[in-house]
Amino acid sequence: MKNKLGLAALVMAVMMLFASCSAFTSTATNSVYYTAGQNVGSALRTLLVQYKQNGKIDFSNASTLLTLASLASNYQTVKGNLTNKDFYRDFANGIIKGSTQIVNNSNVDSIIGMLGGTNWSDVSNQANNNGTASTNSNVNDNVTSILSGLVKK
């Protein structure tokens, strides 16, 4: 009887351990980081459609600038807290979901890195200068590099 009680306690302890660990590995789909990630992923998906159709991104197109502005503002909203692994995971999972799996677990980290290396204030500069590419080469280069990496070869 004593052994059965001990075994039952051990089983309960293991079950509680698994339950608590799963709480730490799930994504908070209602978090601001997940939502921002979904918006970034959706913007990347929209830009990728244009990139595949035209072989380039038209950085003078008003619709493209709005998509870039959405991408930029959503990234800027969360960038200061991405050193927190839980926030980063939520953001990454949101990007994957928002891109409808165009971005995946194997490339999401490099895409977030490229987003972080982009001077998003240039998006405003470009909009104010009617899409003059020279004022926005950092955004042009990084977005084009991200999209070319997402195109299925």
Side-chain angles (χ1 to χ4, degrees):
M1 180 74 163
K2 207 174 198 183
N3 286 341
K4 286 183 181 181
L5 219 47
L7 181 61
L10 179 63
V11 168
M12 289 297 290
V14 169
M15 287 175 41
M16 287 174 44
L17 176 67
F18 283 122
S20 67
C21 288
S22 68
F24 291 114
T25 59
S26 66
T27 297
T29 57
N30 63 346
S31 79
V32 69
Y33 301 94
Y34 185 81
T35 301
Q38 280 189 299
N39 293 335
V40 167
S42 177
L44 288 172
R45 185 182 67 240
T46 299
L47 292 169
L48 185 61
V49 168
Q50 183 187 118
Y51 184 80
K52 283 181 173 180
Q53 287 175 345
N54 304 329
K56 64 180 183 168
I57 296 296
D58 180 2
F59 289 98
S60 64
N61 179 299
S63 177
T64 300
L65 290 176
L66 287 173
T67 302
L68 285 170
S70 171
L71 192 156
S73 67
N74 280 283
Y75 179 76
Q76 296 287 73
T77 298
V78 300
K79 76 174 186 173
N81 293 316
L82 291 179
T83 55
N84 177 303
K85 68 179 178 70
D86 295 326
F87 296 160
Y88 183 94
R89 183 185 61 241
D90 287 352
F91 184 63
N93 287 333
I95 291 174
I96 292 168
K97 175 75 172 178
S99 73
T100 61
Q101 307 292 321
I102 293 168
V103 177
N104 55 51
N105 286 322
S106 65
N107 62 11
V108 71
D109 292 331
S110 71
I111 288 171
I112 292 173
M114 291 186 82
L115 293 172
T118 303
N119 181 357
W120 292 110
S121 65
D122 283 351
V123 173
S124 299
N125 294 341
Q126 186 163 2
N128 293 333
N129 290 306
N130 298 318
T132 306
S134 62
T135 64
N136 203 20
S137 63
N138 176 261
V139 172
N140 293 5
D141 293 346
N142 286 357
V143 170
T144 300
S145 181
I146 290 169
L147 297 175
S148 66
L150 293 175
V151 173
K152 303 279 187 214
K153 307 252 180 205

